[in-house]
Amino acid sequence: MNDTMLIALYAFTGAAASGLAGAGALYLIRRRSLTASLAVVAAVGVVAMLAGTLAVARAMFLSAHDLTVVTTVVAMAAVVSLATALLLGRWVVARSRALAVAARSFGDGGDFTAPDGPATAELESLSRELAATSARLAESRQRERALETSRRELVAWISHDLRTPLAGLRAMSEALEDGVAADSDRYLRQMRTEVEHLNDMVGDLFELSRIHAGTLPLAPTRMSLYDLVGDALAGADPLAREHGVRLVGGRIEPVPVEVDGKEMSRVLGNLLVNAIRRTPADGTVAIAAERSADGVVLSVTDGCGGIPEEDLPRVFDTGWRGSHARTPPAGAGLGLAIVRGIVEAHQGRATVRNIPGGCRFEVVLPTAAS
């Protein structure tokens, strides 16, 4: 074996022994501060170099003086390396602690603000991720507060709306029971009307609960928008005549869509009923269906006079009933929430915007595959 190979063998043996000892030390302190780990890494590097140097020096039979010189040089290098590792470790630990304090703030309900000062690329990336997470948490808290407000309003409004027909049913049943009803047939017809009203409200609540639970069953079939809109207009025509509102179905393109016919008919029915009830007598409610770059657009335009800009983001919220929330035609505030839920279940979206003299509700659905 030549001298080079022998020197390499001695150096590798000494360095390997130091490396194994360092690996064991790192394993033992793996839960300790990063400063201690960096110090061990620096020490391993210097000790490995020293062990290899001493092994080679003894094999080469250096004099005691030369061996002392080599050892002293390596020792000074070890001191500088350990000091550098400790400084780096303390700086990284300080930045990590500042980051932890900042992260704790948005965990307690505040906003995350990255600590001032320079940071490593990894810590800077972590700060950006924490900032993005903080923004998402803030949006989630805002949505949660809005949903909780909607739930409270819904409970209050449903209680109010249920109490009225129940009180009427109780009064009419007592009148029939006591025999003081002058026209019992009229009382029975009114009682049936109130029962149907209650049944519709309970049905809407059940539908909304399935939407929120993500268990709304859909049976998509291929159908034409022309047929879908025609059925919806036929169903809403009696209510429109009762309110003196004209129904107009223009620009109905026979575009095919893959939807659940029953649920989508409910969407159009809710939009038309809402538009008819909000449009004054002699007004016009128009429905249109056409293809667009985003898919298929179904729109219902009314003559309600417009919705206040601050209320537009809440139109599809559960329990929203607008400025006339206590009037009977406003319903329980579930119709538009059901519209949005059904449309989103079809991978679409529902929007509303003001136009001159009224509002335009739009439902965008994916186009059926060819």
Side-chain angles (χ1 to χ4, degrees), residues 150-162:
S150 296
R151 291 190 190 100
R152 287 196 298 266
E153 292 175 349
L154 176 62
V155 170
W157 291 340
I158 286 293
S159 300
H160 174 271
D161 289 341
L162 287 176

Side-chain angles (χ1 to χ4, degrees), residues 5-19 48 51-53 55-56:
M5 293 296 296
L6 185 62
I7 291 172
L9 179 62
Y10 277 115
F12 176 78
T13 302
S18 301
T53 302
V56 172

Side-chain angles (χ1 to χ4, degrees), residues 73-95:
V73 171
V74 173
M76 294 301 101
V79 171
V80 173
S81 298
L82 288 174
T84 303
L86 290 173
L87 288 174
L88 175 61
R90 288 177 63 85
W91 179 75
V92 172
V93 168
R95 289 291 302 177

Side-chain angles (χ1 to χ4, degrees), residues 200-275:
D200 291 341
M201 292 179 63
V202 172
D204 286 346
L205 285 172
F206 180 65
E207 182 86 350
L208 195 61
S209 67
R210 291 196 299 178
I211 290 172
H212 287 169
T215 59
L216 181 67
L218 295 178
T221 57
R222 189 183 183 90
M223 62 179 59
S224 172
L225 282 181
Y226 191 86
D227 297 333
L228 195 64
V229 173
D231 292 342
L233 287 172
D237 185 64
L239 182 65
R241 291 178 181 274
E242 179 184 344
H243 285 75
V245 174
R246 293 185 299 275
L247 281 181
V248 178
R251 303 196 316 276
I252 309 298
E253 298 183 12
V255 183
V257 288
E258 291 274 353
V259 295
D260 186 304
K262 178 182 177 182
E263 296 297 339
M264 197 52 59
S265 294
R266 182 165 194 167
V267 167
L268 292 179
N270 285 357
L271 290 177
L272 286 173
V273 168
N274 179 75

